[in-house]
Amino acid sequence: MYKYYGIAIFVIILDQLSKWSIVKNMNYGESITLIDPYFGLYSHRNRGAAWGMLQGQFWLFALVTLIVIVGIIYYFHKEGKGKPLFQVSLMLLLGGAIGNFIDRVFRGEVVDFVHVIIPVINYDFPIFNIADASLTFGVIMLIIYMLFEDKIEKKKVK
């Protein structure tokens, strides 16, 4: 069961290395287009939550993040055994939460850098980072697990 912590550790390392690279190699506000005009890097900082909400509320984020981390670890050990989809989703959430928490503690802000424009609807998606993507995928996987939990468990019984 502890092997799943490797997923969280991998997310944290990838997240922190990517943010370090952006801070070291790009000026704030600098943009590098990779797939014109749909995908690129944009050096941005966020002192708030998702999409810049609640700017500058460090203690609120610190408290909420610590509660979330404890909750994830608790549910992982209490409910996770033998449920790989559930375990992976929780570890993606853990890695993402810790990745952004490290930024808030050591930088006072979160480094965001992935800039995406969604084609067809031409939507300029809010800039994000690896930790944010991990949180998003973790939530999606958790929802899938919860929607199909009964079917997954019934297959194991057979």
Side-chain angles (χ1 to χ4, degrees), residues 53-94:
M53 295 182 296
L54 301 170
Q55 291 288 322
Q57 300 295 319
F58 173 80
W59 293 110
L60 173 65
F61 294 126
L63 179 62
V64 168
T65 302
L66 290 172
I67 291 168
V68 166
I69 289 169
V70 169
I72 289 169
I73 293 170
Y74 172 78
Y75 278 104
F76 178 77
H77 289 281
K78 184 173 185 331
E79 303 291 335
K81 190 171 184 175
K83 301 173 183 175
L85 184 61
F86 184 65
Q87 291 171 312
V88 170
S89 68
L90 290 179
M91 290 301 105
L92 288 172
L93 292 170
L94 183 65

Side-chain angles (χ1 to χ4, degrees), residues 24 32 36-37 40 50 54 61 70 74 78-80 82 85 87 112 117 139 142 148 156:
K24 183 161 178 51
I32 299 172
D36 193 27
L54 301 170
F61 294 126
V70 169
Y74 172 78
K78 184 173 185 331
E79 303 291 335
L85 184 61
Q87 291 171 312
D112 290 328
I117 295 177
V139 167
L142 190 58
F148 298 104
K156 286 183 184 178

Side-chain angles (χ1 to χ4, degrees), residues 113-145:
F113 59 89
V114 180
H115 183 223
V116 175
I117 295 177
I118 299 172
V120 180
I121 60 173
N122 203 30
Y123 178 67
D124 193 356
F125 196 82
I127 298 162
F128 62 96
N129 59 45
I130 302 292
D132 297 336
S134 181
L135 287 164
T136 300
F137 285 118
V139 167
I140 291 168
M141 288 177 68
L142 190 58
I143 290 168
I144 290 169
Y145 172 77

Side-chain angles (χ1 to χ4, degrees), residues 1-4 15 39 41 48 61 77 81 84-85 98 105 107 109 130 133 138 149 154-155:
M1 197 164 147
Y2 287 97
K3 66 184 176 189
Y4 288 97
D15 177 66
F39 180 72
L41 303 176
F61 294 126
H77 289 281
K81 190 171 184 175
L85 184 61
I98 292 174
V105 169
R107 290 190 177 99
E109 59 193 4
I130 302 292
E149 178 180 13
K154 285 178 186 172
K155 281 186 180 180

